[in-house]
Amino acid sequence: MDGREQPLLIAGGGIGGLATALGLAQKGFRSILLEKAASLGEIGAGIQLGPNAFHAFDYLGVGQAARAMAVYIDQLRLMDALTADEITHVDLGANFRARFGNPYAVVHRGDLHGVFLRACRASELIELRVSSEVVGYDQDGSSVTAHLANGVRVTGSLLIGADGLWSNIRKQVTSDGPPRVSGHTTYRSVIPTEEMPEDLRWNAATLWAGPKCHIVHYPLSGWKVFNLVVTYHNDAPEPVAGQAVPEAEVLRGFAHVHERAQSIIRHGRDWRLWVLCDRDPNPRWVDGRVALLGDAAHPMLQYFAQGACQAMEDAVCLSHMLSHYPDDHAVALEHYRAQRFGRTARVQLLSRAIGEHIYHPAGEHARLRNAIMRAKSSEDYYRDLAWLYGGTGLAS
Ligand SMILES: Cc1cc2nc3c(=O)[nH]c(=O)nc-3n(C[C@H](O)[C@H](O)[C@H](O)COP(=O)(O)OP(=O)(O)OC[C@H]3O[C@@H](n4cnc5c(N)ncnc54)[C@H](O)[C@@H]3O)c2cc1C
């Protein structure tokens, strides 16, 4: 392929775009990454990383740096938000690591993005350009040209659309309209550890599940802070991203849950709101020399905590396919799409399903959830999750 002479173009400098630039550089491909924002960064919240993320870190050459900034939690803990009783937990200790070959961890998004960014800056094969919004592209038999909002044109061998939920590249690849508004409103806060109630400073990713609402918390950044994410299924009609909101608005959806669960919210500060969106799986990810990746290809609700993990798996798979079929971009992109579509579609659809059946059920539905989940051992959960945590961006 002509990819080693002409640079590849990547639209978007989020986790997916940076991971792609790194994966391509590992295989000797030059890339130009075009980011809309005036600087490269991530929002100040946390992110959970399944073992599959660690496989991707190693493949992308940042395994050591990523491991150094993670907090290794002991459990995924499920609490009943109405009674404040534990429903169940999944042990993430030695047996989990032995089973999946890697740990489960939580990190600050800024720290993770920083690891990727430093590695990209250290590579002679990666050029990072900010204030470069890609608004469209055209292509011919030998190259593709990205059109930037500022009038600049950038030409490369391929264009990877890693430009997130509202992807401009996707608009041209699929024309399948805007994302689906889920009606679930998420509020995020990060608080210093000393402000987290002492009896809740668990080394766990804890989920308090209640009727049409839930709360998630876990420690971050060497236990300096706790990440709080609370979600309320209030049928919000419009997409919103990052809007500041007062505590009273956050509490409004939680008047019906146990006082202990409500008290977590009272410790939050500087709350910001997102109305969550996703899409139905759509197999059209490729248009000639253009391919989608990460949220641009398969936006999902966060209930499996896998959106960024899947974006990194995409980067691994794409890099692998381009190096494996260096003389035929069409074959490489089709193999990438074919290998990634089924797995990411499964995560998209199951994320919705676990939102409905684990995070938000009420009444008899919730009692059934508790009974089913209490009856399972950690080994049972490992078996259920093996397809996800035991998988990678590469064919098994
Ligand atoms: C509440 C919440 C919790 C989550 N928790 C987890 C979790 O625990 N674990 C997990 O793995 N995932 C989680 N996710 C999902 C994860 O955040 C996303 O899936 C992931 O960040 C997607 O990365 P991306 O690079 O594809 O897109 P983005 O992070 O959206 O990055 C896109 C980048 O492209 C830029 N851009 C946009 N348009 C253009 C354009 N036209 N031209 C150039 N640049 C452009 C943007 O500025 C941005 O930098 C969560 C999501 C939410 C909402």
Side-chain angles (χ1 to χ4, degrees):
M1 192 172 60
D2 46 12
R4 287 175 208 251
E5 293 93 53
Q6 287 196 92
L8 286 94
L9 309 179
I10 300 165
I15 288 167
L18 294 180
T20 303
L22 285 177
L24 294 174
Q26 292 284 351
K27 302 294 181 187
F29 291 104
R30 223 153 42 83
S31 65
I32 300 176
L33 184 146
L34 303 162
E35 164 60 42
K36 171 169 87 169
S39 63
L40 287 153
E42 256 284 359
I43 61 159
I47 198 162
Q48 303 184 46
L49 300 169
N52 52 328
F54 286 87
H55 174 272
F57 291 143
D58 289 334
Y59 187 95
L60 301 171
V62 294
Q64 217 180 339
R67 282 179 172 78
M69 45 102 207
V71 171
Y72 297 97
I73 50 174
D74 298 331
Q75 291 181 352
L76 301 175
R77 184 176 290 185
L78 179 62
M79 303 289 294
D80 188 321
L82 292 183
T83 61
D85 293 331
E86 179 177 307
I87 300 169
T88 190
H89 65 261
V90 180
D91 190 351
L92 301 175
N95 289 344
F96 180 91
R97 291 185 188 203
R99 175 71 182 257
F100 298 114
N102 269 309
Y104 195 102
V106 290
V107 294
H108 193 282
R109 279 168 183 266
D111 295 344
L112 177 60
H113 194 267
V115 164
F116 280 132
L117 195 52
R118 278 191 293 282
C120 285
R121 286 189 172 135
S123 170
E124 288 177 356
L125 294 173
I126 301 171
E127 183 186 340
L128 303 170
R129 294 191 196 171
V130 293
S131 303
S132 299
E133 180 183 6
V134 182
V135 291
Y137 61 83
D138 64 62
Q139 56 183 318
D140 56 27
S142 59
S143 65
V144 54
T145 298
H147 302 189
L148 306 194
N150 57 14
V152 171
R153 300 275 191 274
V154 187
T155 297
S157 59
L158 300 176
L159 169 63
I160 309 306
D163 50 345
L165 178 67
W166 298 97
S167 167
N168 281 343
I169 310 294
R170 184 183 180 109
K171 272 185 211 152
Q172 201 168 331
V173 169
T174 70
S175 312
D176 63 350
R180 182 190 75 107
V181 180
S182 69
H184 299 205
T185 300
T186 280
Y187 306 88
R188 283 161 152 167
S189 173
V190 176
I191 62 167
T193 295
E194 59 273 17
E195 290 178 23
M196 184 72 178
E198 216 170 334
D199 61 341
L200 292 175
R201 288 182 205 163
W202 297 329
N203 191 25
T206 305
L207 163 64
W208 298 73
K212 286 192 137 189
C213 70
H214 72 267
I215 301 169
V216 170
H217 53 79
Y218 49 82
L220 285 180
S221 302
W223 277 82
K224 287 192 197 70
V225 295
F226 259 79
N227 191 56
L228 302 183
V229 183
V230 312
T231 301
Y232 176 30
H233 185 173
N234 58 350
D235 297 312
E238 299 287 340
V240 180
Q243 184 184 308
V245 287
E247 182 190 289
E249 176 174 337
V250 186
L251 277 166
R252 197 174 305 145
F254 293 84
H256 59 304
V257 304
H258 195 278
E259 171 51 32
R260 200 159 173 232
Q262 285 190 38
S263 77
I264 302 166
I265 299 174
R266 291 203 191 87
H267 289 84
R269 51 154 85 158
D270 303 330
W271 288 101
R272 291 192 176 270
L273 173 166
W274 279 258
V275 174
L276 304 174
C277 297
D278 69 355
R279 285 183 184 274
D280 290 329
N282 176 345
R284 187 161 163 79
W285 290 17
V286 176
D287 171 24
R289 293 178 170 271
V290 183
L292 302 176
L293 181 143
D295 276 7
H298 45 69
M300 53 187 67
L301 300 181
Q302 80 266 31
Y303 301 145
F304 246 131
Q306 275 285 319
C309 299
Q310 292 302 312
M312 291 188 278
E313 284 192 7
D314 289 349
V316 167
C317 182
L318 181 68
S319 311
H320 171 79
M321 291 305 177
L322 288 172
S323 69
H324 205 70
Y325 301 100
D327 301 317
D328 194 335
H329 78 269
V331 171
L333 294 185
E334 174 49 24
H335 274 76
Y336 156 71
R337 189 205 67 79
Q339 190 165 309
R340 297 299 301 150
F341 175 69
R343 179 164 166 84
T344 54
R346 188 172 178 186
V347 187
Q348 278 175 292
L349 295 176
L350 283 177
S351 295
R352 281 184 196 166
I354 63 175
E356 187 181 344
H357 299 298
I358 297 179
Y359 283 67
H360 290 165
E364 207 40 60
H365 192 174
R367 277 189 284 280
L368 196 56
R369 170 201 61 202
N370 293 359
I372 292 171
M373 296 193 75
R374 279 196 175 116
K376 288 187 177 194
S377 66
S378 284
E379 279 298 330
D380 293 331
Y381 285 110
Y382 299 167
R383 207 169 33 248
D384 292 350
L385 291 163
W387 68 275
L388 183 60
Y389 295 157
T392 68
L394 304 173
S396 44

